[in-house]
Amino acid sequence: MEILVFLTLLVVGLHSAAAVTHSLKYFYTGSSQVPNFPEYVSVGMVDEAQISYCDSNTNRNEPKQDWMSRVTADDPHYWERNTQICVGNQPSFKANIETAKQRFNQTGDVHIVQMMYGCEWDDETDKVVDGYERYGYDGEDFITFDLKTETWIAPKQQAFLTKNKWDNNKAYNEQTKNYYTQICIDWLKKYVNYGKSSLMRTELPSRVSLLQKTPSSPVSCHATGFHPQRATLFWRKDGEELHEDVENGDILPNQDGSFQMSADLKLSSVKPEDWGRYECVFQLSGVKDNIITKLDKAVIRSNEKTDMTIIIAVAVVVVALIVIAVVGFMVYKKKKDGEAKALNNSSDSGSEQSERLNPQP
């Protein structure tokens, strides 16, 4: 059985320029010999909000947003079907990892096969913004679907066998493109409709702070508590945005569904008498008013204890994100069953989330 694997991509934090672009993403992970971690995990996300979770310990696919319970009104067996798929797909992971180990001439130790796929949709123009399907093994790219050419890209020699086989299956590649440009989008629209009161809310940051570890460290402008994630945070001097001596961080989710981000300004090129010319600007898409914070020593929080609290808080979020990014799984090829669609032919293991295996008409 051939292997299908994912690229270890931490997509949370990707910046989106369009104010009305929505995304549906799934992360699957199959692992071996990872201490205190399930051999199988799946996570679904809409607009960076986690909507579902299942692993090989609980063997139950469950909603992670209150509004996701509405899906059963249209599909009473939705969660039961997802749970069955979660349980039924697990045996493939062990086989896929063994196949990958053979491809890479490896033996035991920790190994991970992953998949990420999803789609993006602009609800103003009603156009498909993007669709993607990516696989990897042990944190490196393995094979990726090119939506435009309907072919597969293999960055590693070990993936050529899979690429050649899938490229020869023109009918399946057409189905794959159809999934990301139509079926996935249809599901995304449904989810956005279910959770629009939550997903489409607009909240400015609850706090924008200037932080600094030591007098010689960069000054970090940190914004937290905003929603949605379509926001920008940057430094400017005399009204002009700075690009040099500035390091922008990723947008990270908070536990309450809001987001946080930071932008660091290096002080090596900032003269003491010029501090008043610098300011941090937070912009939230769809909101006219910006939040401007002047570079002022009097407002910088530099207490080590305070900094460590923030660092620890951010670290916890990052760990959670890594788990989400590692949260994907390898699903083996299944025959068509009702509305279910196979991802690969008989000698390849397939990867699909429940909506893909059981799309609504």
Side-chain angles (χ1 to χ4, degrees), residues 53-71:
Y53 177 85
C54 183
D55 65 40
S56 54
N57 291 339
T58 62
N59 282 327
R60 177 165 294 278
N61 205 319
E62 299 177 331
K64 287 299 179 179
Q65 299 290 332
D66 291 339
W67 47 265
M68 274 299 290
S69 61
R70 295 181 56 192
V71 70

Side-chain angles (χ1 to χ4, degrees), residues 208-212 219-220 235 275 293-302:
V208 178
S209 308
L210 297 183
L211 312 172
Q212 189 179 33
V219 174
S220 178
W235 284 94
W275 274 48
T293 306
K294 292 285 187 179
L295 180 59
D296 185 348
K297 289 184 178 181
V299 300
I300 295 177
R301 301 170 62 186
S302 58

Side-chain angles (χ1 to χ4, degrees), residues 207-279:
R207 183 174 66 253
V208 178
S209 308
L210 297 183
L211 312 172
Q212 189 179 33
K213 294 180 181 179
T214 67
S216 60
S217 300
V219 174
S220 178
C221 183
H222 181 259
T224 186
F226 60 88
H227 191 280
Q229 72 161 24
R230 295 180 288 274
T232 55
L233 187 68
F234 59 92
W235 284 94
R236 66 187 183 189
K237 177 183 179 182
D238 297 333
E240 296 292 330
E241 182 176 353
L242 294 173
H243 298 286
E244 295 184 0
D245 298 321
V246 173
E247 183 176 351
N248 295 311
D250 290 331
I251 296 179
L252 305 174
N254 294 318
Q255 292 184 346
D256 62 358
S258 64
F259 297 91
Q260 61 173 291
M261 66 189 305
S262 62
D264 295 346
L265 172 65
K266 296 179 181 179
L267 298 178
S268 57
S269 60
V270 179
K271 298 178 180 179
E273 61 269 23
D274 291 339
W275 274 48
R277 301 167 64 185
Y278 291 81
E279 57 191 13

Side-chain angles (χ1 to χ4, degrees), residues 79-298:
W79 293 108
E80 178 184 351
R81 186 173 65 250
N82 277 262
T83 294
Q84 292 174 349
I85 293 172
C86 171
V87 175
N89 286 331
Q90 294 174 30
S92 68
F93 293 116
K94 293 182 179 179
N96 288 335
I97 290 175
E98 290 303 316
T99 302
K101 287 162 61 176
Q102 293 176 15
R103 291 272 189 96
F104 287 87
N105 194 27
Q106 298 170 333
T107 55
D109 301 325
V110 173
H111 294 287
I112 296 176
V113 291
Q114 296 178 287
M115 172 188 182
M116 182 192 79
Y117 73 86
C119 56
E120 297 180 6
W121 160 69
D122 188 317
D123 70 357
E124 187 173 80
T125 62
D126 197 30
K127 290 184 178 180
V128 177
V129 177
D130 196 10
Y132 43 86
E133 183 170 314
R134 303 164 184 168
Y135 304 82
Y137 176 65
D138 284 352
E140 296 186 357
D141 293 7
F142 186 81
I143 194 167
T144 302
F145 184 67
D146 188 323
L147 195 64
K148 294 182 179 180
T149 63
E150 298 182 24
T151 59
W152 295 86
I153 300 172
K156 291 186 174 296
Q157 181 179 359
Q158 290 84 351
F160 287 172
L161 182 62
T162 301
K163 168 184 165 54
N164 292 335
K165 185 171 186 178
W166 293 355
D167 280 348
N168 288 330
N169 193 340
K170 303 296 184 182
Y172 170 73
N173 290 341
E174 290 178 2
Q175 292 177 0
T176 300
K177 181 176 182 177
N178 178 71
Y179 172 76
Y180 291 113
T181 57
Q182 295 187 40
I183 300 174
C184 181
I185 298 297
D186 288 343
W187 276 104
L188 173 55
K189 290 179 180 179
K190 290 181 182 181
Y191 293 144
V192 169
N193 183 57
Y194 292 145
K196 59 184 177 183
S197 61
S198 174
L199 295 172
M200 302 181 73
R201 74 184 191 274
T202 299
E203 295 178 2
L204 289 170
S206 57
R207 183 174 66 253
V208 178
S209 308
L210 297 183
L211 312 172
Q212 189 179 33
K213 294 180 181 179
T214 67
S216 60
S217 300
V219 174
S220 178
C221 183
H222 181 259
T224 186
F226 60 88
H227 191 280
Q229 72 161 24
R230 295 180 288 274
T232 55
L233 187 68
F234 59 92
W235 284 94
R236 66 187 183 189
K237 177 183 179 182
D238 297 333
E240 296 292 330
E241 182 176 353
L242 294 173
H243 298 286
E244 295 184 0
D245 298 321
V246 173
E247 183 176 351
N248 295 311
D250 290 331
I251 296 179
L252 305 174
N254 294 318
Q255 292 184 346
D256 62 358
S258 64
F259 297 91
Q260 61 173 291
M261 66 189 305
S262 62
D264 295 346
L265 172 65
K266 296 179 181 179
L267 298 178
S268 57
S269 60
V270 179
K271 298 178 180 179
E273 61 269 23
D274 291 339
W275 274 48
R277 301 167 64 185
Y278 291 81
E279 57 191 13
C280 175
V281 181
F282 175 88
Q283 294 179 336
L284 185 64
S285 182
V287 177
K288 294 182 179 180
D289 297 331
N290 300 330
I291 297 178
I292 300 176
T293 306
K294 292 285 187 179
L295 180 59
D296 185 348
K297 289 184 178 181

